[in-house]
Amino acid sequence: MTAAHYSRLWLAVGLVLVFYSLNSWIAGQGGKPIFNIELVDDRPVASALIALPICTLLLTLLCRIGVCFAKASPRARSWHERMPLVGLDGVRTGSPEGRLYQGFFLLIFVGLPSAALVYFADRVRKAKVFDTLNGCDDMTPFDAVPLSMILSRPYWDDRFRLGRSLEDAVTWFPILEPIVLAILVALALVNVVRLLYVLFAEPRHVPRGK
């Protein structure tokens, strides 16, 4: 792929990521999502649980695209040249306005979703899990359960109270789910750090004669 291809992918993935992060964040605050789509749950804590794997994978993909763009631009020395340009072809990114433009999209495409991931992870961490075997709702997402319960017993929902029907609850897979989510969040944040390193700190050597 060329640098132009990576720029188009950066824009497409970045827009989807920002759109989904903002909608899920709004839902997590108890607000109404900007657009009502199936993948955004309007329950505050449930929205965070659903958003975590989606946003971590999209953010990881976005950062990998950014790194690939930087690698495909060997003549780029400064961070604003190593970063894909969103629209406005021909913008001089070295100008004050150009650097501000690039910084804005770095903040929106990478910074905002990273902050959203921290928020989503915190909401999931504080969620209450209902143990259908023992009939109690004071479990946490990190409590261990017998192996026979991992795939069938526990549920949680931010509005759940003891005695309420479980039809609106979210199935939670103890032990497995927190491990998978932690790996995905760590993977996304490692890729964010990698992208920032490539943009701001990695030494660049312009090929001789170019």
Side-chain angles (χ1 to χ4, degrees), residues 24-93:
S24 297
W25 202 331
I26 292 171
Q29 298 289 338
K32 189 70 175 175
I34 301 173
F35 295 105
N36 186 20
I37 61 175
E38 292 296 327
L39 289 177
V40 177
D41 198 303
D42 61 0
R43 291 170 295 178
V45 182
S47 65
L49 176 64
I50 297 171
L52 263 179
I54 295 175
C55 290
T56 51
L57 293 174
L58 285 175
L59 183 57
T60 298
L61 176 60
L62 181 81
C63 291
R64 293 304 306 161
I65 292 170
V67 170
C68 289
F69 176 89
K71 300 295 185 183
S73 307
R75 298 181 62 182
R77 289 183 176 271
S78 301
W79 70 269
H80 48 81
E81 297 174 313
R82 303 179 191 184
M83 182 180 148
L85 182 63
V86 176
L88 300 182
D89 292 338
V91 169
R92 291 178 55 249
T93 60

Side-chain angles (χ1 to χ4, degrees), residues 25 58 64 72 74 76 96 101 105-106 120 127 140 162 165 169-170 184:
W25 202 331
L58 285 175
R64 293 304 306 161
Y101 184 80
F105 279 101
L106 183 62
F120 296 148
T140 74
L162 197 59
S165 170
V170 177
L184 289 176

Side-chain angles (χ1 to χ4, degrees), residues 120-195:
F120 296 148
D122 186 61
R123 291 305 299 266
V124 171
R125 179 182 65 84
K126 295 177 179 177
K128 293 295 184 182
V129 177
F130 180 75
D131 181 356
T132 58
L133 182 64
N134 298 310
C136 62
D137 61 352
D138 59 353
M139 290 178 63
T140 74
F142 300 98
D143 287 340
V145 298
L147 293 179
S148 60
M149 292 176 58
I150 289 179
L151 299 178
S152 61
R153 296 281 187 173
Y155 300 84
W156 66 253
D157 177 88
D158 53 296
R159 299 179 302 193
F160 183 83
R161 292 294 180 271
L162 197 59
R164 179 184 163 190
S165 170
L166 282 171
E167 66 181 46
D168 290 331
V170 177
T171 302
W172 174 256
F173 302 106
I175 304 173
L176 295 179
E177 200 154 354
I179 290 175
V180 171
L181 291 178
I183 291 173
L184 289 176
V185 171
L187 178 65
L189 295 180
V190 165
N191 276 276
V192 168
V193 172
R194 171 62 176 159
L195 174 63

